[in-house]
Structure formats: C-alpha cells, structure tokens
Amino acid sequence: MWVSHLDRMRSMERALLRADFPLTYSKGFNPRPQMVFALPSSLGIRSESEYIDISLSEKGPAEHLFSRLEVQLPEGISLMGYRERDPENAKNLMGQVYEADYVFSNPGLSEKIEKLLVCPELIIEKMSKKRLKDEDIRPLILSSEVLDADRTRLRVLAGSRANLRPDTLLQALEKYLAYAEAQSVDVLREELWIKEREDGPLIRPMETND
Amino acid sequence: MNQINLDTALLRAVELPGRYVGGEFNQTKKSWQDLAADGKRLLRFAFCFPDTYEIGMSNLALRILYDVVNREEGLLCERVFAPWLDMKATMEEKDIPLFSLENHYAAKDFDCVGFTLSYELAFSPTLALMKLAGIPLRTSERGDGDPIIIAGGPATYNIEPMADFLDLVLIGEGEESLPELLKLMRQMRVLGQAPREEFLIEASKLKGVYVPSLYDISYKDDGTIEAIRPKHGAVFPVKKRVIMDLDLVAYPIKTPVPNIRTVHDRAFLEVFRGCPRGCRFCQAGQIYRPVREKGANVLAGQMEAILEETGYDEVGMLSLSTSDYSQLQNLMDRVLPRASDRKVNVSLPSLRIDNFSLNLLEEISKTRKAGLTFAPEAGSQRLRDVINKGIDEDEILRGMGLAFRGGYRGAKLYFMLGLPTETDEDVLAISALCKKIMDVWAGLKAEGLKLKRPEITISTALFIPKPFTPFQWVGQSTMDELEHKVKVLRESLPGKSIRYNWHTPETSRWEAVLARGDRRLGRVLERALLEHDVYLTSWEEFFDLSIFQKLMDEEGLSMAFYANRERSIDEIFPWDILDPGPTKAFLRREYDKAKAGELTDPCGEFCSYCGVHSWDAPLCVRGKEARRAR
Ligand code: SF4
C-alpha cells in the first residue's frame, strides 16, 4: 500500500524469481520479465483487485506455480486466484480496463461524498507532463452507492482512455468541502471492470474467456 | 509497550512512506511477547543506522549483524533508520518518538540501541536520533530505565568525540562480539537486575569492547593529551576483534528485500576482508588487516542461495580491491554461467585497470559498456609513490588504450588534493595525465580505429588524514591552500573533453576535525544539536560548517589544531586507547618511507611486519615465510 507502482513491479518480479517461475523476458539491453499490471494503483490506497498478466515460457500445472508464489510474497500482498490464458488469443489486459469500483470510508464520510457529487464540476490541479493542469474529474465518476453512513462505493472510469485517480477525489473533498480529514479517508480498490471488445459487456477480469 | 501507530494521513503526507513501514520479504519479526527457552523474555536490540532507509539497507554490516543477532533465540533485533526531514518534522510536531521498522516499537523501549558509524559525519545524526528517541544524550544522564547505547563500525577507530554519549563501543568485526555482548546483557539485565555500571564493567572484560567511561584523559597546556588512565582494571589498549576464517562464520542469505528502491539494491557477496596494498592514505587498508579471503566455492554457493532466497537480479562482489582476490578467475568461472542463466548482473567494483579486468568487464557486460571508474589518486608518479599507490603511468595509459579499443568512451578518474608533500607541480601533473590519455585516444584514432569522442571525467576530493594510517601525523591542507590547488588544476585542464567535478571541502574539513578529535569535541556536537538542530551532516546540502566554527570558537577550541596541525612523533593520540593491529612503529616507518618516496610491497609474497603478523592469518604466514618486504 505504501509503495509506488514501479516499486511494486520490482517486488513482484523478485517474488516471481524466488518462486522460480519460467518467465519470458523482454528483448534489449536490460531484459525484464514480461509481466503487466492491469491498472497501476496509486500510493496510499488498499486494493483487492490487482491483476497481473504474466507470460511464461512453458506450460505447466498452474496450481503448483500458484502455491509456490503464495509463500514468496512480501507482507501485505496475498494471492486471490489465478486463471490460465491462451497466449495466442490473450489480449493485453491493460488495454481492456474501462471502469473501477472504489470504496471510500471514514466516519460520516458518505454524506460528504453525496454533497460533493452534487457539484456540476470538480476542477482539480493535476500534474501532467511536468506541468500543472486543471482537470474536471466529475465526468469520470459514473455512479455512487452509499453502503452506510461511513462508506460509499464509487464506480469510476479507469484505464488508459480516462482514469480517475482516487487521490484526486480526496483533493476534491478538501477543495470543495474544506474536509479536513480527507487524507485520513481509507480507500479500497474493490474491483476492476474490463471489456473484451469495445462494444462488449463489462465483465470482471477473472471472467474473461479469451 | 509503546507501539507507534502511523496513521494513513501521516504516511500520505511524507515523501516515500515505504521507508517507514517495513514488511519486507525476509524481515525477521519477533514479538516483544516472545519467550526464550528459559521462559524469560528476549533481549531487545535496536540496530540503528544513522541515515535514511535507502542508504542503511545498502549497508553490508547491517545485513550481517541483523542476521547474526536474530539467529540467537534469546535475542531480538529490529532495524531503526533516520527519518527524512519531512517525517522528522511531523514526528516532532506530533510527539512521535523514533521507532523501529518491524513492529514500530519506540527505540527508547529497547534494552540496547546500537549505532553503526560508517564515518565521522554520522556522529551528529546519531545524537539527533537519540534526542528524537527521547533518550538522554550523555552516558552520565542515563538511568536504569534507559537503553544501553552502543556503537560499532569504521568510524569507531577514533570514537573519542562521541565518548561521553556512548556507553560502550565494539571495536572491530562484530559478528561474534555483538551476540556475545547482548547475551551477557540479557544475563545481567533481563534475567538479573544488574545496574548499568556493573554491567559495563563486566562487559569491558569481553574482547573488543571499549567502555569510554572507564578511561580518564588529561590534557597538557598545549592542548595535546598528557595521559590516558584506565579505571576499574579496564584493558589498555583495547584490541579489535577479527574473524580469522570467514568461510566458517555465518553470512546473511535471507536478507530483507526492500520494497522501495535503495542505493545498492542488490545481493552482496563479501569476497575478502582487508587489503594487501597498503596505500598510505587509506584507513580501511590498515584497520581491516590482515587479508582474509573467502573460498571461491563458498562464495559461489552463497551466491546461489542468496539469489534463491531474495530474487535479486544483481549481485555485487565486495572487497577493497577485487583484482587482488587470488581466486578471481576461478570465482568468475563458477559464477558467470549461473548469472547469465538467471539473467543476473554481476557488478565488480574496485578493479584495477589491466588486461585481465577489462576482459572480465567485457564478459560480465556483453551488451552494455557502463562507465569505467578508477582512482590514480595523484597525478605525478612521485606523489603516487609517496602514497604507495602501486600503479604507474604506463599502466594507466596502457589500460586506457585497451579501454578505448574495447569500446569504452572514457573513464571517471578520482584524485585527491592536499596529499602530503604535494606541490603545484603534482597538481599540474593531473592535467598532464589527462592530456596523455587524450593523446592515446588520438593515436588510436590516427591508426584508423573508429572511436567516439572521448569522455573523461575527473573528480577531486580533499585529503583527510585519518587515525591508524601512516599519515596520522600530518596536517590537512587549509581551505586557502585547497582553493589555490583547485584553481591551478582547473586552469590547466585542456578543453571540453574533460569534465571536472569537485566537492565543497567543508564536509571534509569537519570530517578531518572529528577523525582526529578528542573528547572535548563532544560539547560541540551536543550544542550543534541542541542549539542549532544539526541533523544529517552526511548530506552535503544540509551541512553548514559555520555552525561548527562558531561553536568551536565559543568552546575555546580550534579547527586548525585538529585538522591542520602536524603532530610530533611522540604525541599521545586520542585513539591510542585502541589497537587495530598495525603498530605505531610500523606506521611511522611507512610515514618515513613516504617522505622518501619509497614503495612498500603489497602483502602476500612479502610481509612488512606491520604488527598483525603474530595473529597468523594465512596470507601473513605466506609473506613471513617468503621474505621481508621492501
Ligand atoms: S603481517 Fe605482514 S602480511 Fe600480514 S598484514 Fe601485516 S604486513 Fe601484511
């Protein structure tokens, strides 16, 4: 939860090497194991929906690999499940991500989020290409569901086309509602939603059948 | 017990929160509640590195000692690092005391806090961390509820400026002495109720343990030391601890694998300790004597095991002078095929620039030509002879020729300014050497070789005379002298193909003061912390010499007395309390030979009878049987 995406990639690589996975490597000066995260998650949030696509150099019983990897992970990371994909048909998981569910929680938070979502626009300063830029994040929020007084689930756009970073929502809480506890809000990425074809239905990554 | 809770908002607000949360693979996490076989609690030891997580985790001593202490069932070791400035400010504001990484216990609740001191600029951060932990700074102010504060590491070979703050210092290699000491501490302070003083006197009887409060120092009117008087039967001098057979001692295999990038983010293999060269400016070359090599088969096995247990994709071979390892070819033959199977990079620092090394570099980096780095240290042959840097100009030029042919664009060359006997001519010789290297390049170009434009970078650092070296008697160059030398060098360098870096000399001057300092400097270090909040002096950007200058003046002390003064032959040094092996007589011989420009042969085939010959290390025996060194 407290490491950057790059650092997480490195620790996954090391875990895979410890588990002795038959990895395939990129070409070039500095060959890296071929491994793709569906959607990088930002520092300071919890996640139950990290999907990693790993290409292997040989076919073998996946449950062995799974149990080998399980014991090689650093504190705070655990495996939820796995699925074999056919390298011939498998599409790049990263490009298929469209939406994500985040649960925001903090005492009395739901009311705040409700108020926030009434705003027609939520302009947040964002770093892009080393320059600060204003961005309206309101259109990135698709729907909300109040779970209880403290917890709200938001469905947001995610992936390479349009993506809401959950920390920008915390910024919006600070900016529009002067919410002093914004940085204490717990953020959980609950699920990612992908489409196999642009006009296809939204499904969970584990449901894909490529 | 005080387990610190780092809340989400706090961690989101600091740079690199991964520094503070631990949870690395292979970390050892024993609980405060654990009991040993005797039914009593573990002794709690905090290993404190007085710099950031990224630097501390790149430290071999930390990996070794964390491992040896945690191997003992009665001992618990957790790591503590220096928080970055943003975190430190938050901790001070919110009254969060310094805490350990594994369980976030408050450092002051441990039985013992140990600092590893890699060099003198770690003194100030050490005091700052004690304050942040809420531990009284002075030994005399600490009571039975406070931890025992210990230290070890290269900078403890003259630890006198820190003498009033440290209860006890481990001199020499710690993998045997640290567990011994902690076991005694458990016996006396966890199972028994021994008061601090009683424990310290008992501990001072262990080999390699120095308890500063058991020695009284008196000074003459001229400021030099009159006498060192041991009390309570304390040994004098305190002999360093060394491990004679490195193949037999435990080496860390399952080391914690950092979750964030660190400075040296790789596996380490320690190839040998000590150095056979005997460069006269080099403290490590003296204090780590004698040379003790590890077997190539042991190293190859350890490499395999470490890679398996850590998943690292790079391994660094560590030693003071890798080219001098007698089984280097054998080691590489074993290691390189496995490394290339596993797509693991091997890095070999401290190579000499000769045919063999270049071939080796070629082999380990088939595709990438990383930069070459080497250290002639001085520009003229005369001065290189003075410092006993056994490399001559032909070797350098031949090596550079081979490097250019091999596809290297150039090299980084390291020099020191302010070496004993240095004149402007020696300084000018640095640029002359650069010109000759450019001529080599031009010559090859004229032969029709396709060469890229050469890139030569030179760096100069201010020479710091260190204790237990043949130059322990000499004065450091003053700031004015140094400025003059830098100017001479800069103006003489030919054109654009040569880049010149030099670091501000302020830190080197303060390092020189502390390196040969005495107990009176403790007051300056203490006031720098309490009155000026001096913290990470090891980071140039936070270093302010004027604070120390002002405090020295106020305390009636002089920087020149410590840094720039040439000592007389019979002067009693603050570090005479310790004995790292080489005798004063040997160092004096070496100093005289330096002044005469005479070389001393490296250990191995020869022996110079430096003082450690009675320890019967295998290499020294070989040398003694052969013949006396030049
Ligand atoms: S005893 Fe001889 S061989 Fe051994 S370290 Fe000293 S000089 Fe070198």
Side-chain angles (χ1 to χ4, degrees):
Chain A
M1 166 174 188
W2 296 111
V3 306
S4 67
H5 177 61
L6 265 175
D7 287 336
R8 195 177 348 261
M9 294 236 293
R10 195 174 325 104
S11 46
M12 265 327 281
E13 275 180 32
R14 287 173 181 165
L16 293 168
L17 288 171
R18 289 192 294 265
D20 206 13
F21 268 46
L23 298 169
T24 66
Y25 285 83
S26 61
K27 304 266 177 299
F29 278 166
N30 189 15
R32 309 277 5 137
Q34 290 186 301
M35 174 185 89
V36 181
F37 277 66
L39 182 70
S41 56
S42 35
L43 205 116
I45 75 159
R46 296 186 300 125
S47 175
E48 289 175 352
S49 56
E50 298 292 311
Y51 296 94
I52 312 174
D53 218 347
I54 303 163
S55 34
L56 302 177
S57 60
E58 54 194 67
K59 214 173 143 52
E63 68 270 21
H64 281 177
L65 292 178
F66 186 83
S67 55
R68 249 161 42 201
L69 184 57
E70 247 176 343
V71 296
Q72 296 295 346
L73 294 169
E75 203 175 87
I77 302 182
S78 49
L79 293 183
M80 319 276 283
Y82 66 93
R83 208 169 57 73
E84 290 170 70
R85 303 177 74 196
D86 175 2
E88 298 297 313
N89 303 321
K91 294 201 197 66
N92 181 353
L93 190 57
M94 203 149 97
Q96 298 180 332
V97 176
Y98 279 75
E99 297 175 12
D101 288 337
Y102 290 96
V103 176
F104 295 82
S105 44
N106 205 40
L109 178 68
S110 293
E111 176 201 21
K112 303 273 179 195
I113 293 189
E114 245 174 303
K115 259 194 218 152
L116 187 72
L117 296 183
V118 176
C119 300
E121 51 173 33
L122 297 169
I123 308 291
I124 292 298
E125 274 193 342
K126 229 182 87 173
M127 274 302 244
S128 105
K129 298 191 184 94
K130 292 202 174 159
R131 291 205 3 231
L132 277 177
K133 214 180 78 183
D134 281 346
E135 193 195 3
D136 182 6
I137 61 165
R138 184 63 190 85
L140 304 176
I141 304 169
L142 301 173
S143 65
S144 73
E145 184 186 343
V146 175
L147 302 175
D148 56 36
D150 305 337
R151 296 184 305 142
T152 296
R153 176 188 292 130
L154 296 186
R155 172 67 67 88
V156 305
L157 289 177
S160 45
R161 295 158 203 86
N163 185 53
L164 177 102
R165 286 179 50 141
D167 45 330
T168 56
L169 188 100
L170 303 183
Q171 283 174 36
L173 283 167
E174 277 169 343
K175 179 173 166 187
Y176 285 85
L177 304 179
Y179 184 46
E181 287 171 45
Q183 290 309 327
S184 301
V185 170
D186 176 82
V187 184
L188 170 68
R189 191 166 88 191
E190 212 178 29
E191 187 55 291
L192 294 184
W193 298 93
I194 66 167
K195 285 181 192 175
E196 291 182 304
R197 295 181 315 277
E198 219 171 305
D199 54 354
L202 277 174
I203 56 173
R204 293 185 159 85
M206 293 308 263
E207 292 165 359
T208 136
N209 43 24
D210 53 24
Chain B
M1 285 303 148
N2 206 349
Q3 220 164 337
I4 313 298
N5 173 37
L6 298 176
D7 62 54
T8 305
L10 187 157
L11 287 170
R12 280 192 186 135
V14 298
E15 194 189 319
L16 290 179
R19 285 167 169 162
Y20 310 109
V21 295
E24 305 103 318
F25 190 74
N26 283 340
Q27 76 169 0
T28 304
K29 202 167 175 176
K30 298 183 179 178
S31 158
W32 231 229
Q33 273 73 45
D34 287 352
L35 301 178
D38 56 15
K40 291 282 167 38
R41 71 168 178 86
L42 310 181
L43 179 114
R44 299 153 185 169
F45 175 59
F47 188 107
C48 187
F49 192 91
D51 211 319
T52 61
Y53 176 87
E54 303 92 286
I55 295 177
M57 287 302 288
S58 307
N59 181 273
L60 178 61
L62 179 141
R63 294 189 192 182
I64 291 178
L65 297 174
Y66 182 70
D67 178 63
V68 294
V69 176
N70 274 322
R71 274 171 200 248
E72 300 286 342
E73 63 119 29
L75 310 178
L76 164 160
C77 175
E78 300 204 2
R79 290 161 293 159
V80 177
F81 297 96
W84 191 240
L85 305 189
D86 56 351
M87 184 62 158
K88 179 169 171 274
T90 308
M91 289 166 67
E92 283 165 345
E93 186 195 307
K94 304 198 164 174
D95 258 330
I96 299 174
L98 186 70
F99 54 86
S100 67
L101 200 64
E102 283 78 358
N103 281 305
H104 289 181
Y105 291 129
K108 68 167 181 308
D109 291 337
F110 283 78
D111 299 303
C112 179
V113 178
F115 291 89
T116 182
L117 301 173
S118 306
Y119 67 153
E120 292 77 7
L121 298 177
F123 292 171
S124 280
T126 295
L127 287 182
L129 292 181
M130 281 164 64
K131 177 165 173 251
L132 195 57
I135 299 168
L137 296 183
R138 290 186 170 260
T139 310
S140 55
E141 293 163 352
R142 288 196 284 271
D144 270 314
D146 295 311
I148 303 273
I149 304 296
I150 70 173
T156 59
Y157 284 90
N158 177 32
I159 193 65
E160 293 310 287
M162 291 289 282
D164 293 341
F165 312 114
L166 300 172
D167 293 314
L168 176 161
V169 186
L170 290 177
I171 307 299
E173 293 162 10
E175 51 257 90
E176 287 174 351
S177 58
L178 181 59
E180 259 169 42
L181 174 80
L182 296 176
K183 281 193 247 176
L184 176 71
M185 198 183 297
R186 181 165 184 273
Q187 197 66 38
M188 295 185 68
R189 309 250 310 148
V190 175
L191 305 184
Q193 300 288 317
R196 304 173 73 87
E197 290 68 33
E198 192 185 320
F199 165 72
L200 290 177
I201 291 173
E202 199 55 33
S204 74
K205 296 173 188 158
L206 296 176
K207 280 191 204 134
V209 170
Y210 166 45
V211 177
S213 58
L214 297 182
Y215 300 80
D216 280 334
I217 315 287
S218 55
Y219 300 91
K220 296 185 198 158
D221 288 342
D222 66 3
T224 59
I225 290 176
E226 180 189 57
I228 299 169
R229 288 188 194 84
K231 298 186 287 195
H232 300 288
V235 284
F236 177 73
V238 179
K239 210 168 153 185
K240 78 166 176 195
R241 280 295 281 273
V242 340
I243 308 291
M244 269 305 170
D245 193 337
L246 292 176
D247 284 345
L248 298 182
V249 77
Y251 189 76
I253 302 295
K254 287 177 151 228
T255 57
V257 183
N259 288 323
I260 61 170
R261 244 245 182 292
T262 58
V263 179
H264 299 299
D265 203 0
R266 57 180 85 107
F268 292 155
L269 276 186
E270 191 183 21
V271 180
F272 64 91
R273 283 188 196 164
C275 176
R277 292 272 147 195
C279 298
R280 292 180 180 127
F281 58 86
C282 176
Q283 190 190 34
Q286 301 295 341
I287 60 178
Y288 295 141
R289 284 173 180 233
V291 170
R292 286 141 298 143
E293 294 194 338
K294 283 172 79 166
N297 53 339
V298 172
L299 289 169
Q302 288 178 346
M303 178 180 103
E304 197 67 27
I306 296 175
L307 295 178
E308 226 154 77
E309 298 289 351
T310 61
Y312 277 123
D313 59 4
E314 184 173 355
V315 45
M317 304 274 173
L318 304 186
S319 78
L320 290 169
S321 171
T322 311
S323 296
D324 286 312
Y325 178 52
S326 66
Q327 306 172 54
L328 189 55
Q329 184 65 60
N330 182 5
L331 177 66
M332 289 300 127
D333 290 346
R334 284 159 178 267
V335 153
L336 291 181
R338 286 302 291 142
S340 102
D341 279 0
R342 283 178 171 266
K343 302 210 166 34
V344 165
N345 287 319
V346 176
S347 63
L348 282 172
S350 319
L351 282 178
R352 295 170 73 78
I353 153 172
D354 55 20
N355 219 337
F356 178 76
S357 308
L358 286 164
N359 283 336
L360 203 59
L361 287 175
E362 180 81 36
E363 234 181 296
I364 62 178
S365 56
K366 288 204 175 70
T367 43
R368 240 186 327 179
K369 289 273 188 282
L372 274 184
T373 306
F374 71 110
E377 308 291 5
S380 71
Q381 194 56 46
R382 186 197 72 80
L383 196 51
R384 279 194 298 271
D385 289 349
V386 167
I387 62 175
N388 202 39
K389 182 84 194 179
I391 180 167
D392 63 33
E393 190 167 289
D394 284 351
E395 260 176 274
I396 296 174
L397 296 179
R398 211 175 323 123
M400 284 309 302
L402 290 168
F404 286 132
R405 281 179 194 277
Y408 288 94
R409 290 188 72 163
K412 269 201 192 116
L413 276 61
Y414 289 91
F415 296 94
M416 275 185 289
L417 291 179
L419 286 165
T421 77
E422 184 182 63
T423 63
D424 282 1
E425 256 164 64
D426 297 305
V427 176
L428 289 170
I430 296 176
S431 34
L433 181 64
C434 293
K435 281 181 204 129
K436 284 177 200 159
I437 292 175
M438 301 300 283
D439 290 345
V440 170
W441 180 86
L444 292 173
K445 182 103 181 156
E447 276 178 32
L449 252 72
K450 271 207 144 120
L451 297 179
K452 293 202 187 106
R453 220 172 56 81
E455 281 170 8
I456 306 289
T457 305
I458 64 171
S459 296
T460 59
L462 175 57
F463 168 63
I464 304 169
K466 292 257 170 148
F468 296 116
T469 67
F471 293 150
Q472 60 181 347
W473 287 274
V474 311
Q476 188 183 40
S477 286
T478 63
M479 295 290 105
D480 289 346
E481 285 162 356
L482 182 76
E483 226 163 85
H484 167 77
K485 287 169 200 276
V486 168
K487 189 163 163 268
V488 167
L489 176 56
R490 192 179 305 146
E491 284 171 2
S492 66
L493 280 172
K496 29 179 165 34
S497 298
I498 295 180
R499 289 230 330 250
Y500 177 30
N501 297 327
W502 71 292
H503 293 288
T504 56
E506 276 84 8
T507 49
S508 307
R509 180 163 170 83
W510 184 236
E511 204 180 324
V513 171
L514 292 175
R516 290 185 295 173
D518 55 40
R519 295 189 177 183
R520 292 172 296 185
L521 292 172
R523 189 69 194 120
V524 174
L525 289 169
E526 185 179 39
R527 287 185 60 195
L529 171 68
L530 299 180
E531 294 166 27
H532 300 273
D533 206 17
V534 163
Y535 183 35
L536 294 177
T537 37
S538 38
W539 292 69
E540 222 168 81
E541 55 268 52
F542 308 131
F543 186 83
D544 183 355
L545 187 64
S546 68
I547 292 176
F548 293 111
Q549 184 66 66
K550 173 177 156 284
L551 292 171
M552 292 285 283
D553 290 346
E554 289 175 15
E555 291 293 322
L557 299 169
S558 136
M559 288 219 188
F561 173 84
Y562 293 101
N564 310 114
R565 183 172 58 93
E566 166 97 26
R567 274 76 168 161
S568 74
I569 299 170
D570 50 5
E571 180 167 335
I572 298 175
F573 294 134
W575 54 96
D576 283 348
I577 295 183
L578 308 179
D579 172 17
T583 58
K584 224 177 193 177
F586 164 74
L587 295 173
R588 187 74 214 179
R589 272 199 318 270
E590 281 296 296
Y591 182 33
D592 291 338
K593 285 173 83 177
K595 285 189 283 193
E598 285 172 25
L599 292 172
T600 294
D601 292 310
C603 308
E605 274 173 64
F606 307 95
C607 174
S608 313
Y609 293 82
C610 70
V612 310
H613 42 281
S614 54
W615 305 2
D616 285 339
L619 181 109
C620 305
V621 170
R622 217 193 312 152
K624 277 193 292 182
E625 281 166 0
R627 62 193 157 104
R628 205 183 171 98
R630 192 170 23 147

